[in-house]
mmCIF file with all atom_site columns, all heavy atoms in Angstrom:
data_model
loop_
_atom_site.group_PDB
_atom_site.id
_atom_site.type_symbol
_atom_site.label_atom_id
_atom_site.label_alt_id
_atom_site.label_comp_id
_atom_site.label_asym_id
_atom_site.label_entity_id
_atom_site.label_seq_id
_atom_site.pdbx_PDB_ins_code
_atom_site.Cartn_x
_atom_site.Cartn_y
_atom_site.Cartn_z
_atom_site.occupancy
_atom_site.B_iso_or_equiv
_atom_site.pdbx_formal_charge
_atom_site.auth_seq_id
_atom_site.auth_comp_id
_atom_site.auth_asym_id
_atom_site.auth_atom_id
_atom_site.pdbx_PDB_model_num
ATOM 1   N N   . VAL A 1 1  ? 0.849  -1.186  0.000   1.00 98.00 ? 1  VAL A N   1
ATOM 2   C CA  . VAL A 1 1  ? 0.000  0.000   0.000   1.00 98.00 ? 1  VAL A CA  1
ATOM 3   C C   . VAL A 1 1  ? 0.891  1.244   0.000   1.00 98.00 ? 1  VAL A C   1
ATOM 4   O O   . VAL A 1 1  ? 1.773  1.381   0.843   1.00 98.00 ? 1  VAL A O   1
ATOM 5   C CB  . VAL A 1 1  ? -0.936 0.015   1.224   1.00 98.00 ? 1  VAL A CB  1
ATOM 6   C CG1 . VAL A 1 1  ? -1.754 1.303   1.246   1.00 98.00 ? 1  VAL A CG1 1
ATOM 7   C CG2 . VAL A 1 1  ? -1.845 -1.207  1.200   1.00 98.00 ? 1  VAL A CG2 1
ATOM 8   N N   . ILE A 1 2  ? 0.641  2.130   -0.922  1.00 98.00 ? 2  ILE A N   1
ATOM 9   C CA  . ILE A 1 2  ? 1.481  3.323   -1.098  1.00 98.00 ? 2  ILE A CA  1
ATOM 10  C C   . ILE A 1 2  ? 0.710  4.574   -0.708  1.00 98.00 ? 2  ILE A C   1
ATOM 11  O O   . ILE A 1 2  ? -0.482 4.722   -1.039  1.00 98.00 ? 2  ILE A O   1
ATOM 12  C CB  . ILE A 1 2  ? 1.958  3.427   -2.557  1.00 98.00 ? 2  ILE A CB  1
ATOM 13  C CG1 . ILE A 1 2  ? 2.935  2.289   -2.880  1.00 98.00 ? 2  ILE A CG1 1
ATOM 14  C CG2 . ILE A 1 2  ? 2.626  4.778   -2.807  1.00 98.00 ? 2  ILE A CG2 1
ATOM 15  C CD1 . ILE A 1 2  ? 3.358  2.225   -4.331  1.00 98.00 ? 2  ILE A CD1 1
ATOM 16  N N   . THR A 1 3  ? 1.395  5.463   -0.021  1.00 98.00 ? 3  THR A N   1
ATOM 17  C CA  . THR A 1 3  ? 0.848  6.771   0.334   1.00 98.00 ? 3  THR A CA  1
ATOM 18  C C   . THR A 1 3  ? 1.835  7.845   -0.089  1.00 98.00 ? 3  THR A C   1
ATOM 19  O O   . THR A 1 3  ? 3.037  7.713   0.155   1.00 98.00 ? 3  THR A O   1
ATOM 20  C CB  . THR A 1 3  ? 0.612  6.876   1.853   1.00 98.00 ? 3  THR A CB  1
ATOM 21  O OG1 . THR A 1 3  ? -0.262 5.817   2.270   1.00 98.00 ? 3  THR A OG1 1
ATOM 22  C CG2 . THR A 1 3  ? -0.007 8.210   2.213   1.00 98.00 ? 3  THR A CG2 1
ATOM 23  N N   . TYR A 1 4  ? 1.331  8.903   -0.698  1.00 98.00 ? 4  TYR A N   1
ATOM 24  C CA  . TYR A 1 4  ? 2.164  10.039  -1.099  1.00 98.00 ? 4  TYR A CA  1
ATOM 25  C C   . TYR A 1 4  ? 1.720  11.293  -0.354  1.00 98.00 ? 4  TYR A C   1
ATOM 26  O O   . TYR A 1 4  ? 0.532  11.489  -0.085  1.00 98.00 ? 4  TYR A O   1
ATOM 27  C CB  . TYR A 1 4  ? 2.046  10.311  -2.596  1.00 98.00 ? 4  TYR A CB  1
ATOM 28  C CG  . TYR A 1 4  ? 2.683  9.254   -3.474  1.00 98.00 ? 4  TYR A CG  1
ATOM 29  C CD1 . TYR A 1 4  ? 1.902  8.310   -4.140  1.00 98.00 ? 4  TYR A CD1 1
ATOM 30  C CD2 . TYR A 1 4  ? 4.064  9.186   -3.632  1.00 98.00 ? 4  TYR A CD2 1
ATOM 31  C CE1 . TYR A 1 4  ? 2.478  7.332   -4.945  1.00 98.00 ? 4  TYR A CE1 1
ATOM 32  C CE2 . TYR A 1 4  ? 4.649  8.217   -4.431  1.00 98.00 ? 4  TYR A CE2 1
ATOM 33  C CZ  . TYR A 1 4  ? 3.852  7.298   -5.084  1.00 98.00 ? 4  TYR A CZ  1
ATOM 34  O OH  . TYR A 1 4  ? 4.430  6.333   -5.872  1.00 98.00 ? 4  TYR A OH  1
ATOM 35  N N   . GLY A 1 5  ? 2.678  12.160  -0.070  1.00 98.00 ? 5  GLY A N   1
ATOM 36  C CA  . GLY A 1 5  ? 2.330  13.470  0.436   1.00 98.00 ? 5  GLY A CA  1
ATOM 37  C C   . GLY A 1 5  ? 1.639  14.263  -0.659  1.00 98.00 ? 5  GLY A C   1
ATOM 38  O O   . GLY A 1 5  ? 1.925  14.087  -1.847  1.00 98.00 ? 5  GLY A O   1
ATOM 39  N N   . ASP A 1 6  ? 0.745  15.155  -0.271  1.00 97.00 ? 6  ASP A N   1
ATOM 40  C CA  . ASP A 1 6  ? -0.043 15.888  -1.259  1.00 97.00 ? 6  ASP A CA  1
ATOM 41  C C   . ASP A 1 6  ? 0.831  16.679  -2.225  1.00 97.00 ? 6  ASP A C   1
ATOM 42  O O   . ASP A 1 6  ? 0.504  16.792  -3.412  1.00 97.00 ? 6  ASP A O   1
ATOM 43  C CB  . ASP A 1 6  ? -1.018 16.840  -0.550  1.00 97.00 ? 6  ASP A CB  1
ATOM 44  C CG  . ASP A 1 6  ? -2.150 16.103  0.130   1.00 97.00 ? 6  ASP A CG  1
ATOM 45  O OD1 . ASP A 1 6  ? -2.401 14.933  -0.228  1.00 97.00 ? 6  ASP A OD1 1
ATOM 46  O OD2 . ASP A 1 6  ? -2.780 16.684  1.028   1.00 97.00 ? 6  ASP A OD2 1
ATOM 47  N N   . SER A 1 7  ? 1.928  17.208  -1.739  1.00 97.00 ? 7  SER A N   1
ATOM 48  C CA  . SER A 1 7  ? 2.744  18.087  -2.574  1.00 97.00 ? 7  SER A CA  1
ATOM 49  C C   . SER A 1 7  ? 3.548  17.344  -3.638  1.00 97.00 ? 7  SER A C   1
ATOM 50  O O   . SER A 1 7  ? 4.093  17.979  -4.550  1.00 97.00 ? 7  SER A O   1
ATOM 51  C CB  . SER A 1 7  ? 3.697  18.900  -1.698  1.00 97.00 ? 7  SER A CB  1
ATOM 52  O OG  . SER A 1 7  ? 4.561  18.046  -0.987  1.00 97.00 ? 7  SER A OG  1
ATOM 53  N N   . VAL A 1 8  ? 3.620  16.022  -3.560  1.00 98.00 ? 8  VAL A N   1
ATOM 54  C CA  . VAL A 1 8  ? 4.426  15.272  -4.529  1.00 98.00 ? 8  VAL A CA  1
ATOM 55  C C   . VAL A 1 8  ? 3.597  14.331  -5.392  1.00 98.00 ? 8  VAL A C   1
ATOM 56  O O   . VAL A 1 8  ? 4.135  13.684  -6.294  1.00 98.00 ? 8  VAL A O   1
ATOM 57  C CB  . VAL A 1 8  ? 5.547  14.469  -3.841  1.00 98.00 ? 8  VAL A CB  1
ATOM 58  C CG1 . VAL A 1 8  ? 6.386  15.383  -2.944  1.00 98.00 ? 8  VAL A CG1 1
ATOM 59  C CG2 . VAL A 1 8  ? 5.006  13.292  -3.053  1.00 98.00 ? 8  VAL A CG2 1
ATOM 60  N N   . LYS A 1 9  ? 2.315  14.232  -5.135  1.00 98.00 ? 9  LYS A N   1
ATOM 61  C CA  . LYS A 1 9  ? 1.459  13.326  -5.909  1.00 98.00 ? 9  LYS A CA  1
ATOM 62  C C   . LYS A 1 9  ? 1.534  13.648  -7.396  1.00 98.00 ? 9  LYS A C   1
ATOM 63  O O   . LYS A 1 9  ? 1.475  14.803  -7.802  1.00 98.00 ? 9  LYS A O   1
ATOM 64  C CB  . LYS A 1 9  ? 0.009  13.438  -5.427  1.00 98.00 ? 9  LYS A CB  1
ATOM 65  C CG  . LYS A 1 9  ? -0.247 12.769  -4.096  1.00 98.00 ? 9  LYS A CG  1
ATOM 66  C CD  . LYS A 1 9  ? -1.710 12.923  -3.671  1.00 98.00 ? 9  LYS A CD  1
ATOM 67  C CE  . LYS A 1 9  ? -1.956 12.276  -2.327  1.00 98.00 ? 9  LYS A CE  1
ATOM 68  N NZ  . LYS A 1 9  ? -3.341 12.490  -1.857  1.00 98.00 ? 9  LYS A NZ  1
ATOM 69  N N   . GLY A 1 10 ? 1.700  12.602  -8.181  1.00 98.00 ? 10 GLY A N   1
ATOM 70  C CA  . GLY A 1 10 ? 1.767  12.772  -9.629  1.00 98.00 ? 10 GLY A CA  1
ATOM 71  C C   . GLY A 1 10 ? 3.157  13.100  -10.144 1.00 98.00 ? 10 GLY A C   1
ATOM 72  O O   . GLY A 1 10 ? 3.382  13.100  -11.355 1.00 98.00 ? 10 GLY A O   1
ATOM 73  N N   . ARG A 1 11 ? 4.093  13.378  -9.239  1.00 98.00 ? 11 ARG A N   1
ATOM 74  C CA  . ARG A 1 11 ? 5.461  13.720  -9.660  1.00 98.00 ? 11 ARG A CA  1
ATOM 75  C C   . ARG A 1 11 ? 6.496  12.718  -9.150  1.00 98.00 ? 11 ARG A C   1
ATOM 76  O O   . ARG A 1 11 ? 7.506  12.487  -9.815  1.00 98.00 ? 11 ARG A O   1
ATOM 77  C CB  . ARG A 1 11 ? 5.835  15.119  -9.169  1.00 98.00 ? 11 ARG A CB  1
ATOM 78  C CG  . ARG A 1 11 ? 4.936  16.222  -9.688  1.00 98.00 ? 11 ARG A CG  1
ATOM 79  C CD  . ARG A 1 11 ? 5.465  17.596  -9.295  1.00 98.00 ? 11 ARG A CD  1
ATOM 80  N NE  . ARG A 1 11 ? 5.513  17.802  -7.857  1.00 98.00 ? 11 ARG A NE  1
ATOM 81  C CZ  . ARG A 1 11 ? 6.614  18.098  -7.172  1.00 98.00 ? 11 ARG A CZ  1
ATOM 82  N NH1 . ARG A 1 11 ? 7.764  18.228  -7.808  1.00 98.00 ? 11 ARG A NH1 1
ATOM 83  N NH2 . ARG A 1 11 ? 6.557  18.274  -5.862  1.00 98.00 ? 11 ARG A NH2 1
ATOM 84  N N   . PHE A 1 12 ? 6.267  12.156  -7.985  1.00 98.00 ? 12 PHE A N   1
ATOM 85  C CA  . PHE A 1 12 ? 7.208  11.221  -7.362  1.00 98.00 ? 12 PHE A CA  1
ATOM 86  C C   . PHE A 1 12 ? 6.628  9.814   -7.386  1.00 98.00 ? 12 PHE A C   1
ATOM 87  O O   . PHE A 1 12 ? 5.405  9.629   -7.288  1.00 98.00 ? 12 PHE A O   1
ATOM 88  C CB  . PHE A 1 12 ? 7.485  11.617  -5.920  1.00 98.00 ? 12 PHE A CB  1
ATOM 89  C CG  . PHE A 1 12 ? 8.265  12.891  -5.737  1.00 98.00 ? 12 PHE A CG  1
ATOM 90  C CD1 . PHE A 1 12 ? 8.521  13.756  -6.789  1.00 98.00 ? 12 PHE A CD1 1
ATOM 91  C CD2 . PHE A 1 12 ? 8.759  13.212  -4.474  1.00 98.00 ? 12 PHE A CD2 1
ATOM 92  C CE1 . PHE A 1 12 ? 9.247  14.918  -6.607  1.00 98.00 ? 12 PHE A CE1 1
ATOM 93  C CE2 . PHE A 1 12 ? 9.486  14.374  -4.265  1.00 98.00 ? 12 PHE A CE2 1
ATOM 94  C CZ  . PHE A 1 12 ? 9.717  15.232  -5.333  1.00 98.00 ? 12 PHE A CZ  1
ATOM 95  N N   . THR A 1 13 ? 7.523  8.832   -7.477  1.00 98.00 ? 13 THR A N   1
ATOM 96  C CA  . THR A 1 13 ? 7.106  7.430   -7.472  1.00 98.00 ? 13 THR A CA  1
ATOM 97  C C   . THR A 1 13 ? 8.019  6.637   -6.549  1.00 98.00 ? 13 THR A C   1
ATOM 98  O O   . THR A 1 13 ? 9.246  6.679   -6.712  1.00 98.00 ? 13 THR A O   1
ATOM 99  C CB  . THR A 1 13 ? 7.163  6.835   -8.883  1.00 98.00 ? 13 THR A CB  1
ATOM 100 O OG1 . THR A 1 13 ? 6.369  7.617   -9.780  1.00 98.00 ? 13 THR A OG1 1
ATOM 101 C CG2 . THR A 1 13 ? 6.643  5.400   -8.877  1.00 98.00 ? 13 THR A CG2 1
ATOM 102 N N   . ILE A 1 14 ? 7.423  5.907   -5.626  1.00 98.00 ? 14 ILE A N   1
ATOM 103 C CA  . ILE A 1 14 ? 8.191  5.053   -4.720  1.00 98.00 ? 14 ILE A CA  1
ATOM 104 C C   . ILE A 1 14 ? 8.103  3.618   -5.223  1.00 98.00 ? 14 ILE A C   1
ATOM 105 O O   . ILE A 1 14 ? 7.061  3.187   -5.737  1.00 98.00 ? 14 ILE A O   1
ATOM 106 C CB  . ILE A 1 14 ? 7.672  5.175   -3.274  1.00 98.00 ? 14 ILE A CB  1
ATOM 107 C CG1 . ILE A 1 14 ? 8.618  4.478   -2.298  1.00 98.00 ? 14 ILE A CG1 1
ATOM 108 C CG2 . ILE A 1 14 ? 6.249  4.637   -3.134  1.00 98.00 ? 14 ILE A CG2 1
ATOM 109 C CD1 . ILE A 1 14 ? 8.294  4.758   -0.822  1.00 98.00 ? 14 ILE A CD1 1
ATOM 110 N N   . SER A 1 15 ? 9.206  2.887   -5.076  1.00 98.00 ? 15 SER A N   1
ATOM 111 C CA  . SER A 1 15 ? 9.215  1.494   -5.512  1.00 98.00 ? 15 SER A CA  1
ATOM 112 C C   . SER A 1 15 ? 10.188 0.705   -4.652  1.00 98.00 ? 15 SER A C   1
ATOM 113 O O   . SER A 1 15 ? 11.026 1.279   -3.950  1.00 98.00 ? 15 SER A O   1
ATOM 114 C CB  . SER A 1 15 ? 9.611  1.391   -6.987  1.00 98.00 ? 15 SER A CB  1
ATOM 115 O OG  . SER A 1 15 ? 10.912 1.916   -7.194  1.00 98.00 ? 15 SER A OG  1
ATOM 116 N N   . ARG A 1 16 ? 10.070 -0.621  -4.715  1.00 96.00 ? 16 ARG A N   1
ATOM 117 C CA  . ARG A 1 16 ? 10.936 -1.504  -3.947  1.00 96.00 ? 16 ARG A CA  1
ATOM 118 C C   . ARG A 1 16 ? 11.736 -2.397  -4.881  1.00 96.00 ? 16 ARG A C   1
ATOM 119 O O   . ARG A 1 16 ? 11.276 -2.767  -5.956  1.00 96.00 ? 16 ARG A O   1
ATOM 120 C CB  . ARG A 1 16 ? 10.105 -2.397  -3.011  1.00 96.00 ? 16 ARG A CB  1
ATOM 121 C CG  . ARG A 1 16 ? 9.401  -1.680  -1.923  1.00 96.00 ? 16 ARG A CG  1
ATOM 122 C CD  . ARG A 1 16 ? 8.585  -2.620  -1.068  1.00 96.00 ? 16 ARG A CD  1
ATOM 123 N NE  . ARG A 1 16 ? 7.483  -3.237  -1.781  1.00 96.00 ? 16 ARG A NE  1
ATOM 124 C CZ  . ARG A 1 16 ? 6.464  -3.855  -1.187  1.00 96.00 ? 16 ARG A CZ  1
ATOM 125 N NH1 . ARG A 1 16 ? 6.457  -3.939  0.149   1.00 96.00 ? 16 ARG A NH1 1
ATOM 126 N NH2 . ARG A 1 16 ? 5.499  -4.407  -1.887  1.00 96.00 ? 16 ARG A NH2 1
ATOM 127 N N   . ASP A 1 17 ? 12.922 -2.746  -4.433  1.00 94.00 ? 17 ASP A N   1
ATOM 128 C CA  . ASP A 1 17 ? 13.778 -3.675  -5.172  1.00 94.00 ? 17 ASP A CA  1
ATOM 129 C C   . ASP A 1 17 ? 14.212 -4.760  -4.199  1.00 94.00 ? 17 ASP A C   1
ATOM 130 O O   . ASP A 1 17 ? 15.101 -4.557  -3.377  1.00 94.00 ? 17 ASP A O   1
ATOM 131 C CB  . ASP A 1 17 ? 14.986 -2.923  -5.745  1.00 94.00 ? 17 ASP A CB  1
ATOM 132 C CG  . ASP A 1 17 ? 15.830 -3.797  -6.638  1.00 94.00 ? 17 ASP A CG  1
ATOM 133 O OD1 . ASP A 1 17 ? 15.945 -5.019  -6.383  1.00 94.00 ? 17 ASP A OD1 1
ATOM 134 O OD2 . ASP A 1 17 ? 16.408 -3.280  -7.606  1.00 94.00 ? 17 ASP A OD2 1
ATOM 135 N N   . ARG A 1 18 ? 13.566 -5.927  -4.296  1.00 92.00 ? 18 ARG A N   1
ATOM 136 C CA  . ARG A 1 18 ? 13.845 -7.009  -3.352  1.00 92.00 ? 18 ARG A CA  1
ATOM 137 C C   . ARG A 1 18 ? 15.294 -7.460  -3.438  1.00 92.00 ? 18 ARG A C   1
ATOM 138 O O   . ARG A 1 18 ? 15.933 -7.746  -2.430  1.00 92.00 ? 18 ARG A O   1
ATOM 139 C CB  . ARG A 1 18 ? 12.918 -8.187  -3.637  1.00 92.00 ? 18 ARG A CB  1
ATOM 140 C CG  . ARG A 1 18 ? 13.087 -9.364  -2.680  1.00 92.00 ? 18 ARG A CG  1
ATOM 141 C CD  . ARG A 1 18 ? 12.319 -10.579 -3.171  1.00 92.00 ? 18 ARG A CD  1
ATOM 142 N NE  . ARG A 1 18 ? 10.891 -10.389 -3.148  1.00 92.00 ? 18 ARG A NE  1
ATOM 143 C CZ  . ARG A 1 18 ? 10.113 -10.762 -2.133  1.00 92.00 ? 18 ARG A CZ  1
ATOM 144 N NH1 . ARG A 1 18 ? 10.646 -11.312 -1.063  1.00 92.00 ? 18 ARG A NH1 1
ATOM 145 N NH2 . ARG A 1 18 ? 8.805  -10.580 -2.199  1.00 92.00 ? 18 ARG A NH2 1
ATOM 146 N N   . GLY A 1 19 ? 15.835 -7.527  -4.644  1.00 94.00 ? 19 GLY A N   1
ATOM 147 C CA  . GLY A 1 19 ? 17.200 -8.015  -4.823  1.00 94.00 ? 19 GLY A CA  1
ATOM 148 C C   . GLY A 1 19 ? 18.244 -7.129  -4.167  1.00 94.00 ? 19 GLY A C   1
ATOM 149 O O   . GLY A 1 19 ? 19.268 -7.614  -3.679  1.00 94.00 ? 19 GLY A O   1
ATOM 150 N N   . ARG A 1 20 ? 17.986 -5.832  -4.152  1.00 95.00 ? 20 ARG A N   1
ATOM 151 C CA  . ARG A 1 20 ? 18.932 -4.884  -3.553  1.00 95.00 ? 20 ARG A CA  1
ATOM 152 C C   . ARG A 1 20 ? 18.576 -4.548  -2.124  1.00 95.00 ? 20 ARG A C   1
ATOM 153 O O   . ARG A 1 20 ? 19.306 -3.791  -1.476  1.00 95.00 ? 20 ARG A O   1
ATOM 154 C CB  . ARG A 1 20 ? 18.946 -3.589  -4.383  1.00 95.00 ? 20 ARG A CB  1
ATOM 155 C CG  . ARG A 1 20 ? 19.560 -3.731  -5.761  1.00 95.00 ? 20 ARG A CG  1
ATOM 156 C CD  . ARG A 1 20 ? 19.257 -2.515  -6.626  1.00 95.00 ? 20 ARG A CD  1
ATOM 157 N NE  . ARG A 1 20 ? 19.484 -1.272  -5.930  1.00 95.00 ? 20 ARG A NE  1
ATOM 158 C CZ  . ARG A 1 20 ? 18.596 -0.274  -5.836  1.00 95.00 ? 20 ARG A CZ  1
ATOM 159 N NH1 . ARG A 1 20 ? 17.421 -0.382  -6.432  1.00 95.00 ? 20 ARG A NH1 1
ATOM 160 N NH2 . ARG A 1 20 ? 18.880 0.841   -5.187  1.00 95.00 ? 20 ARG A NH2 1
ATOM 161 N N   . ASN A 1 21 ? 17.452 -5.074  -1.616  1.00 95.00 ? 21 ASN A N   1
ATOM 162 C CA  . ASN A 1 21 ? 16.945 -4.658  -0.296  1.00 95.00 ? 21 ASN A CA  1
ATOM 163 C C   . ASN A 1 21 ? 16.853 -3.141  -0.237  1.00 95.00 ? 21 ASN A C   1
ATOM 164 O O   . ASN A 1 21 ? 17.338 -2.494  0.698   1.00 95.00 ? 21 ASN A O   1
ATOM 165 C CB  . ASN A 1 21 ? 17.830 -5.176  0.846   1.00 95.00 ? 21 ASN A CB  1
ATOM 166 C CG  . ASN A 1 21 ? 17.531 -6.619  1.175   1.00 95.00 ? 21 ASN A CG  1
ATOM 167 O OD1 . ASN A 1 21 ? 16.377 -7.042  1.176   1.00 95.00 ? 21 ASN A OD1 1
ATOM 168 N ND2 . ASN A 1 21 ? 18.571 -7.384  1.448   1.00 95.00 ? 21 ASN A ND2 1
ATOM 169 N N   . ALA A 1 22 ? 16.217 -2.579  -1.244  1.00 96.00 ? 22 ALA A N   1
ATOM 170 C CA  . ALA A 1 22 ? 16.199 -1.123  -1.382  1.00 96.00 ? 22 ALA A CA  1
ATOM 171 C C   . ALA A 1 22 ? 14.801 -0.599  -1.661  1.00 96.00 ? 22 ALA A C   1
ATOM 172 O O   . ALA A 1 22 ? 13.948 -1.303  -2.203  1.00 96.00 ? 22 ALA A O   1
ATOM 173 C CB  . ALA A 1 22 ? 17.134 -0.696  -2.510  1.00 96.00 ? 22 ALA A CB  1
ATOM 174 N N   . VAL A 1 23 ? 14.600 0.629   -1.268  1.00 97.00 ? 23 VAL A N   1
ATOM 175 C CA  . VAL A 1 23 ? 13.405 1.386   -1.632  1.00 97.00 ? 23 VAL A CA  1
ATOM 176 C C   . VAL A 1 23 ? 13.879 2.628   -2.378  1.00 97.00 ? 23 VAL A C   1
ATOM 177 O O   . VAL A 1 23 ? 14.759 3.344   -1.886  1.00 97.00 ? 23 VAL A O   1
ATOM 178 C CB  . VAL A 1 23 ? 12.584 1.787   -0.392  1.00 97.00 ? 23 VAL A CB  1
ATOM 179 C CG1 . VAL A 1 23 ? 11.439 2.717   -0.802  1.00 97.00 ? 23 VAL A CG1 1
ATOM 180 C CG2 . VAL A 1 23 ? 12.025 0.560   0.287   1.00 97.00 ? 23 VAL A CG2 1
ATOM 181 N N   . ASP A 1 24 ? 13.341 2.832   -3.551  1.00 98.00 ? 24 ASP A N   1
ATOM 182 C CA  . ASP A 1 24 ? 13.762 3.942   -4.393  1.00 98.00 ? 24 ASP A CA  1
ATOM 183 C C   . ASP A 1 24 ? 12.671 5.003   -4.485  1.00 98.00 ? 24 ASP A C   1
ATOM 184 O O   . ASP A 1 24 ? 11.488 4.710   -4.342  1.00 98.00 ? 24 ASP A O   1
ATOM 185 C CB  . ASP A 1 24 ? 14.079 3.432   -5.796  1.00 98.00 ? 24 ASP A CB  1
ATOM 186 C CG  . ASP A 1 24 ? 15.210 2.417   -5.793  1.00 98.00 ? 24 ASP A CG  1
ATOM 187 O OD1 . ASP A 1 24 ? 16.148 2.578   -4.989  1.00 98.00 ? 24 ASP A OD1 1
ATOM 188 O OD2 . ASP A 1 24 ? 15.148 1.455   -6.581  1.00 98.00 ? 24 ASP A OD2 1
ATOM 189 N N   . LEU A 1 25 ? 13.100 6.218   -4.755  1.00 98.00 ? 25 LEU A N   1
ATOM 190 C CA  . LEU A 1 25 ? 12.163 7.324   -4.947  1.00 98.00 ? 25 LEU A CA  1
ATOM 191 C C   . LEU A 1 25 ? 12.538 8.042   -6.237  1.00 98.00 ? 25 LEU A C   1
ATOM 192 O O   . LEU A 1 25 ? 13.579 8.703   -6.307  1.00 98.00 ? 25 LEU A O   1
ATOM 193 C CB  . LEU A 1 25 ? 12.215 8.292   -3.763  1.00 98.00 ? 25 LEU A CB  1
ATOM 194 C CG  . LEU A 1 25 ? 11.210 9.432   -3.814  1.00 98.00 ? 25 LEU A CG  1
ATOM 195 C CD1 . LEU A 1 25 ? 9.781  8.889   -3.610  1.00 98.00 ? 25 LEU A CD1 1
ATOM 196 C CD2 . LEU A 1 25 ? 11.526 10.473  -2.754  1.00 98.00 ? 25 LEU A CD2 1
ATOM 197 N N   . GLN A 1 26 ? 11.718 7.891   -7.249  1.00 98.00 ? 26 GLN A N   1
ATOM 198 C CA  . GLN A 1 26 ? 11.904 8.597   -8.502  1.00 98.00 ? 26 GLN A CA  1
ATOM 199 C C   . GLN A 1 26 ? 11.208 9.940   -8.407  1.00 98.00 ? 26 GLN A C   1
ATOM 200 O O   . GLN A 1 26 ? 9.997  9.989   -8.169  1.00 98.00 ? 26 GLN A O   1
ATOM 201 C CB  . GLN A 1 26 ? 11.332 7.787   -9.671  1.00 98.00 ? 26 GLN A CB  1
ATOM 202 C CG  . GLN A 1 26 ? 11.429 8.479   -11.018 1.00 98.00 ? 26 GLN A CG  1
ATOM 203 C CD  . GLN A 1 26 ? 12.863 8.671   -11.476 1.00 98.00 ? 26 GLN A CD  1
ATOM 204 O OE1 . GLN A 1 26 ? 13.711 7.803   -11.275 1.00 98.00 ? 26 GLN A OE1 1
ATOM 205 N NE2 . GLN A 1 26 ? 13.150 9.818   -12.083 1.00 98.00 ? 26 GLN A NE2 1
ATOM 206 N N   . MET A 1 27 ? 11.961 11.003  -8.600  1.00 98.00 ? 27 MET A N   1
ATOM 207 C CA  . MET A 1 27 ? 11.427 12.344  -8.449  1.00 98.00 ? 27 MET A CA  1
ATOM 208 C C   . MET A 1 27 ? 11.500 13.058  -9.798  1.00 98.00 ? 27 MET A C   1
ATOM 209 O O   . MET A 1 27 ? 12.599 13.311  -10.302 1.00 98.00 ? 27 MET A O   1
ATOM 210 C CB  . MET A 1 27 ? 12.206 13.126  -7.386  1.00 98.00 ? 27 MET A CB  1
ATOM 211 C CG  . MET A 1 27 ? 12.286 12.411  -6.048  1.00 98.00 ? 27 MET A CG  1
ATOM 212 S SD  . MET A 1 27 ? 13.044 13.401  -4.749  1.00 98.00 ? 27 MET A SD  1
ATOM 213 C CE  . MET A 1 27 ? 14.707 13.563  -5.392  1.00 98.00 ? 27 MET A CE  1
ATOM 214 N N   . ASP A 1 28 ? 10.367 13.377  -10.358 1.00 98.00 ? 28 ASP A N   1
ATOM 215 C CA  . ASP A 1 28 ? 10.283 14.058  -11.642 1.00 98.00 ? 28 ASP A CA  1
ATOM 216 C C   . ASP A 1 28 ? 9.630  15.426  -11.478 1.00 98.00 ? 28 ASP A C   1
ATOM 217 O O   . ASP A 1 28 ? 8.989  15.698  -10.465 1.00 98.00 ? 28 ASP A O   1
ATOM 218 C CB  . ASP A 1 28 ? 9.474  13.209  -12.634 1.00 98.00 ? 28 ASP A CB  1
ATOM 219 C CG  . ASP A 1 28 ? 10.111 11.866  -12.913 1.00 98.00 ? 28 ASP A CG  1
ATOM 220 O OD1 . ASP A 1 28 ? 11.337 11.824  -13.091 1.00 98.00 ? 28 ASP A OD1 1
ATOM 221 O OD2 . ASP A 1 28 ? 9.370  10.857  -12.962 1.00 98.00 ? 28 ASP A OD2 1
ATOM 222 N N   . SER A 1 29 ? 9.797  16.251  -12.485 1.00 98.00 ? 29 SER A N   1
ATOM 223 C CA  . SER A 1 29 ? 9.195  17.600  -12.470 1.00 98.00 ? 29 SER A CA  1
ATOM 224 C C   . SER A 1 29 ? 9.522  18.321  -11.168 1.00 98.00 ? 29 SER A C   1
ATOM 225 O O   . SER A 1 29 ? 8.642  18.892  -10.516 1.00 98.00 ? 29 SER A O   1
ATOM 226 C CB  . SER A 1 29 ? 7.679  17.505  -12.665 1.00 98.00 ? 29 SER A CB  1
ATOM 227 O OG  . SER A 1 29 ? 7.356  16.867  -13.879 1.00 98.00 ? 29 SER A OG  1
#
């Protein structure tokens, strides 16, 4: 389940990478 702050909705994307044990944040615009 994903939740975004109002100010970043539609611009940022959170994702997980099981192989790297990582959580990434793609920030656009």
Side-chain angles (χ1 to χ4, degrees):
V1 177
I2 292 174
T3 303
Y4 290 103
D6 288 341
S7 61
V8 307
K9 286 180 181 176
R11 300 187 298 122
F12 291 10
T13 304
I14 190 170
S15 61
R16 293 179 295 195
D17 186 326
R18 182 190 293 266
R20 291 167 46 232
N21 280 321
V23 173
D24 299 324
L25 184 69
Q26 177 65 38
M27 306 186 295
D28 298 317
S29 301

